[in-house]
Amino acid sequence: MLWLGAGLPVIGAVLTAVALDLTGLGGDSGPSPEPAGSGATSASPSAAPLVVTARQEDEAGCTALPRRVSSPRDRAELVSGGDVGAVVRRNQGARAGEMNVSLTLEGGTSPLTVTSIGIETKSPRAGRPFAGTLVCEPGAGGEPKIQLFADMDSPEPVFLSGKNSTRGYFRDNVITLDPGEQVNLSAMFRAERGSRVFELVIHYVRNGKEGVVPVPAPRGGRYALTGYAPRYGAVYEGSPNGSYRLVENPRPCSWLPASQEC
């Protein structure tokens, strides 16, 4: 599921703000979750109708790997607090349960209207949750304010106006963006039943002509998310000093959402 929070006030039906361990999934490797302040930018304002920057908001959460960590190198990285991101990249992991990403839209040389933010999935249906290894940073959990919703477990997820709504948000709302104006977006992505790779694309109209701009993932990675598995081959829990310890219980009870009882 994906929750999207507005970054600026809403005036009437026109928004000035609307509301993704971005790692490889489905056989290809990708970068590990990015800390706050790091991200990727689509283009410079002079070279594009608008610029989109994506940054992961925080590190608190879990990452699931499709296989159990077995190499001495990977195990050493985890228990010593080394480059855990490299472990995730080598093992083609994906963020588990949910991830929070901030997006910044910046206008180009002329005004335009963002008519929608599309969700383009890489497969018609979600795959099985990754169940090899679960790596959880300390302080995982929590849920931000929610305004928009999309079920990432569904075949064709779209933005809705609320968790219990069936009405597409962009049927009634758009984003206006003047030259040089910045609009901040906050997104929560959530998956409960399966794993998914997807992309975000912004549809806009400028001077009466339609266009599309992709929303880049931090460090040029891909948006990848997986639901929690009932149990894992191994579970590692992080500590404040940066190291991880192997947990005896292979069931992720401490990190499961309320809807998934352990």
Side-chain angles (χ1 to χ4, degrees):
M1 304 176 187
L2 185 154
W3 304 89
L4 202 58
L8 293 177
V10 178
I11 303 178
V14 178
L15 297 187
T16 55
V18 185
L20 285 147
D21 224 56
L22 304 174
T23 59
L25 191 62
D28 296 325
S29 63
S32 61
E34 282 298 300
S38 61
T41 304
S42 59
S44 63
S46 60
L50 73 155
V51 176
V52 189
T53 304
R55 294 180 176 85
Q56 187 167 324
E57 293 181 351
D58 56 57
E59 293 183 314
C62 299
T63 299
L65 313 181
R67 295 171 296 278
R68 178 167 182 167
V69 170
S70 58
S71 75
R73 178 187 180 187
D74 288 344
R75 292 200 300 267
E77 292 277 21
L78 289 173
V79 300
S80 66
D83 191 351
V84 178
V87 177
V88 173
R89 289 192 295 272
R90 287 194 293 269
N91 291 273
Q92 303 175 2
R95 202 63 171 173
E98 63 185 42
M99 65 183 172
N100 298 282
V101 172
S102 62
L103 305 174
T104 299
L105 278 59
E106 182 176 350
T109 57
S110 60
L112 58 79
T113 299
V114 175
T115 57
S116 69
I117 301 176
I119 304 169
E120 298 184 351
T121 59
K122 295 296 186 178
S123 58
R125 294 189 180 278
R128 292 182 178 180
F130 287 3
T133 301
L134 188 68
V135 181
C136 295
E137 296 96 358
E143 186 169 317
K145 289 186 177 180
I146 296 164
Q147 286 199 334
L148 297 189
F149 171 87
D151 183 357
M152 295 307 298
D153 290 321
S154 68
E156 297 181 1
V158 297
F159 291 118
L160 304 176
S161 57
K163 182 177 181 180
N164 298 317
S165 173
T166 59
R167 188 173 184 83
Y169 179 82
F170 286 101
R171 290 180 58 181
D172 303 315
N173 302 282
V174 296
I175 304 171
T176 58
L177 200 60
D178 291 326
E181 180 184 5
Q182 287 190 347
V183 172
N184 297 314
L185 317 177
S186 180
M188 173 189 276
F189 294 83
R190 177 172 291 178
E192 293 186 356
R193 298 191 303 272
S195 57
R196 211 70 179 272
V197 164
F198 56 97
E199 294 179 349
L200 296 181
V201 293
I202 291 177
H203 298 266
Y204 69 90
V205 175
R206 184 175 67 162
N207 297 326
K209 296 183 178 180
E210 297 182 354
V212 175
V213 170
V215 180
R219 289 182 58 189
R222 294 188 296 177
Y223 295 106
L225 194 63
T226 178
Y228 283 95
R231 60 179 60 244
Y232 291 85
V235 175
Y236 286 85
E237 181 180 21
S239 62
N241 65 8
S243 64
Y244 288 76
R245 68 177 183 89
L246 182 62
V247 180
E248 292 185 4
N249 187 356
R251 303 182 68 192
C253 300
S254 300
W255 300 280
L256 286 177
S259 59
Q260 293 178 257
E261 295 183 359
C262 192

